[in-house]
Amino acid sequence: MTRVLVVDDEPQIVRALRINLTARGYQVLTAHDGASALTAAADGKPDVVVLDLGLPDLDGTDVIAGLRGWTSVPIIVLSARTDSSDKVSALDAGADDYVTKPFGMDELLARLRAAVRRSATSPTAGEDAVVETASFTVDLAAKKVHRDGAEVHLTPTEWGLLEMLARNRGRLVGQKQLLQEVWGPAYAKESHYLRVYLAQLRRKLEPEPSHPRHLLTEPGMGYRFEL
Amino acid sequence: MTRVLVVDDEPQIVRALRINLTARGYQVLTAHDGASALTAAADGKPDVVVLDLGLPDLDGTDVIAGLRGWTSVPIIVLSARTDSSDKVSALDAGADDYVTKPFGMDELLARLRAAVRRSATSPTAGEDAVVETASFTVDLAAKKVHRDGAEVHLTPTEWGLLEMLARNRGRLVGQKQLLQEVWGPAYAKESHYLRVYLAQLRRKLEPEPSHPRHLLTEPGMGYRFEL
DNA sequence: GGGATCGTTGACGGTGTCTTGACGACGTCG
DNA sequence: CGACGTCGTCAAGACACCGTCAACGATCCC
């Protein structure tokens, strides 16, 4: 789900955006001043930021600069000012788009889609798309697994499981979490599936399937992908 | 040096842009209709396109779609129409920005800088307009397929499918993704179409249609274009 | 108006995958 | 020491999916 951070100090604008965005399946985070916008962006990891320039505490370009210091998340600026100089300074500070109030909701949504589409195709996502271990490599973007140079074929379920573990590499992933993500919310208790498919993955990927080095079991808790 | 392709049929606009852009160190290419814009984009490999929607020959969204078929170069649309629906359709067709005439030169230049800055940070991943395999060649810009020197005729649907796969060559493309892109969002579950059209493509392009080497099936997941 | 092309839909067989059950090994706790 | 729960392994049937062929309308072009 796409996460949108809406930064505006006018409640009615925030409300209108929240309603429209939520109705279209976006997840909406909000902040009402510059300082909380920066922390919310760091905390909520939004996919796109809608930023009003007329904030009470910070200048708009400072907020943009504060974001651009560590993230390349798309920023769409809202502003009541139609001055060309305002637009130029905001865009040059690092904003991706500039919409003047009053704005049409259709247009804003279209510009938001465009911004999200752009950033989706560029692999700037913080995580690396290819995970490598001593015995095999997982390419998350291409959905391919290689072992000793040769490609290993995985079934959809096997891949879903491996992908979930690889995206959380190093961390423990609970069985319930795995089951709900790969099989669906109704399968939260079918822990037998995990045993069957972990065995299959180990047989395909581990040098010694009975003594796994990368696909580890944490008894009673879940599984962990270790590099 | 940054190369800008300016597409507009009004000479005075082209002249004004050429002067301003050249003075700021851009290299300027021009086209005055949709058809020549497409060839100029394929030929001149611009870093950004400024596109007027009111062209004499083609509809603006068709030009955008024609470009988006093979390149992700940023497109900034110029238009005299302020209709919200025009903006939405242009942005959803793949445009990056939409500026209404009359526009301030400062603002356009700032939006242009923003568009170039964005695309500069994303690695222009091996996006070649012509994809070559051992048995056939796909020219994404010209929308043509050759096999053994001769041109192969593809229907629009066949082409849409092949284009989508070729643009994601090496990567697995989910069936839902293919269906939504080629047939439309309402066809996300009509996976039967994929089987029929993949069979047709293989019959036309693969040396052994029953043992495909380039248009591969990943059961339960999707299809993959392998070089 | 006639013919060809294209998109859509149905039926069919074959193959691979998912699900399910049974069984033994291991560790823990009463 | 024995009961219990968890885990790993194996096997077999049910099922979904894929590829293929063919027929039907709709549309476009001559």
Side-chain angles (χ1 to χ4, degrees), chain A:
Chain A
M1 186 189 297
T2 308
R3 300 155 71 85
V4 185
L5 173 60
V6 176
V7 186
D8 203 316
D9 61 327
E10 301 174 54
Q12 63 270 32
I13 300 246
V14 174
R15 221 182 81 244
L17 282 173
R18 180 192 289 282
I19 291 170
N20 275 282
L21 290 170
T22 305
R24 282 165 181 80
Y26 294 93
Q27 186 175 347
V28 179
L29 315 169
T30 58
H32 42 277
D33 57 42
S36 57
L38 291 173
T39 62
D43 207 30
K45 298 199 179 306
D47 300 295
V48 55
V49 176
V50 177
L51 173 67
D52 182 35
L53 277 195
L55 296 176
D57 57 339
L58 293 177
D59 184 57
T61 57
D62 292 337
V63 180
I64 297 173
L67 287 169
R68 279 290 171 263
W70 60 277
T71 179
S72 59
V73 61
I75 301 173
I76 299 177
V77 167
L78 291 181
S79 173
R81 284 173 266 181
T82 58
D83 260 19
S84 167
S85 64
D86 289 322
K87 299 184 187 179
V88 172
S89 58
L91 289 167
D92 281 338
D96 290 75
D97 207 339
Y98 191 105
V99 180
T100 53
K101 292 196 262 188
F103 56 87
M105 188 56 72
D106 289 343
E107 178 184 345
L108 179 65
L109 290 170
R111 288 186 182 273
L112 196 130
R113 283 194 296 274
V116 171
R117 178 191 345 123
R118 258 196 315 265
S119 68
T121 55
S122 78
T124 6
E127 46 190 324
D128 201 352
V130 45
V131 182
E132 200 156 354
T133 75
S135 24
F136 59 92
T137 63
V138 183
D139 189 330
L140 291 171
K143 289 200 194 323
K144 274 189 193 171
V145 183
H146 289 271
R147 178 186 177 186
D148 303 328
E151 187 172 338
V152 181
H153 176 74
L154 296 184
T155 71
T157 310
E158 286 165 3
W159 171 258
L161 197 54
L162 181 62
E163 179 180 2
M164 182 73 177
L165 289 168
R167 288 197 192 281
N168 295 283
R169 72 196 84 109
R171 288 197 293 272
L172 171 76
V173 188
Q175 336 193 8
K176 199 163 117 188
Q177 203 179 341
L178 280 170
L179 287 162
Q180 289 189 352
E181 178 72 23
V182 178
W183 277 271
Y187 293 74
K189 303 198 151 228
E190 302 284 349
S191 62
H192 188 43
Y193 290 3
L194 290 178
R195 288 193 279 282
V196 173
Y197 276 91
L198 257 298
Q200 288 182 5
L201 279 177
R202 284 171 179 146
R203 200 177 328 131
K204 288 186 177 182
L205 302 177
E206 291 274 5
E208 300 178 70
S210 50
H211 297 83
R213 294 172 51 195
H214 306 106
L215 299 168
L216 308 179
T217 302
E218 300 281 349
M221 317 261 310
Y223 294 86
R224 184 209 324 256
F225 186 113
E226 200 62 80
L227 292 184

Side-chain angles (χ1 to χ4, degrees), chain A residues 114-115 117-118 121, chain B residues 37-38 41-42 46-51 60-77 89-97 115 118-119 127-129 140-141 143 159-160 163-164 166-168 181:
Chain A
R117 178 191 345 123
R118 258 196 315 265
T121 55
Chain B
L38 291 173
D47 300 295
V48 55
V49 175
V50 177
L51 172 67
T61 57
D62 291 338
V63 180
I64 297 171
L67 287 169
R68 279 290 170 265
W70 59 275
T71 179
S72 61
V73 61
I75 301 174
I76 300 177
V77 167
S89 57
L91 290 167
D92 280 339
D96 289 74
D97 206 340
R118 255 193 322 260
S119 69
E127 190 167 331
D128 205 348
L140 290 170
K143 291 197 188 304
W159 172 258
E163 174 183 334
M164 183 71 176
R167 289 175 58 189
N168 294 284
E181 177 74 22

